[in-house]
Amino acid sequence: MTGTTRSSAGLSERRRRLLFRAWRRGTRELDLLTGRFADAVIADLTEAEMTEFEGWCSAPDLDLYAWITGSKPVPPEYDTPLFRRLKAFDHGAAAV
């Protein structure tokens, strides 16, 4: 996985798949945002949080990027504590 700093060794199949998908979004900018976040939190996500993260992977790249960067409002179904952690992580906050 280009860019990842985390090994997938020791992760469940689902977590490995999610880590891979986070680094292979389709646009390099989004890969860096979601991939770095996944590197930091993937081992500690709950089952519900993994399901939510998988949902992000289905969102259109341009929309997801706009929500993370704040150039578009986040739809209510995506405006969750985990998504706010992703946004804070992107902005350099240590709230991961």
Side-chain angles (χ1 to χ4, degrees):
M1 286 177 261
T2 306
T4 188
T5 58
R6 192 203 194 295
S7 168
S8 61
L11 295 177
S12 69
E13 176 66 29
R14 185 178 183 199
R15 290 177 196 278
R16 286 193 309 266
R17 191 174 337 109
L18 190 53
L19 182 61
F20 180 84
R21 289 177 71 194
W23 276 105
R24 300 288 187 196
R25 287 290 316 187
T27 63
R28 188 64 183 146
E29 293 84 355
L30 201 50
D31 290 352
L32 291 170
L33 296 174
T34 59
R36 284 179 29 249
F37 182 72
D39 279 355
V41 303
I42 196 71
D44 299 320
L45 294 178
T46 66
E47 293 293 319
E49 289 171 332
M50 284 193 296
T51 299
E52 182 180 337
F53 203 133
E54 288 165 339
W56 303 346
C57 291
S58 299
D61 286 355
L62 293 177
D63 289 339
L64 185 58
Y65 184 78
W67 303 331
I68 293 170
T69 60
S71 61
K72 277 188 175 178
V74 179
E77 64 271 21
Y78 287 91
D79 192 15
T80 64
L82 184 62
F83 196 81
R84 289 189 290 275
R85 283 175 61 196
L86 169 62
K87 286 181 67 167
F89 185 86
D90 173 50
H91 291 95
V96 188

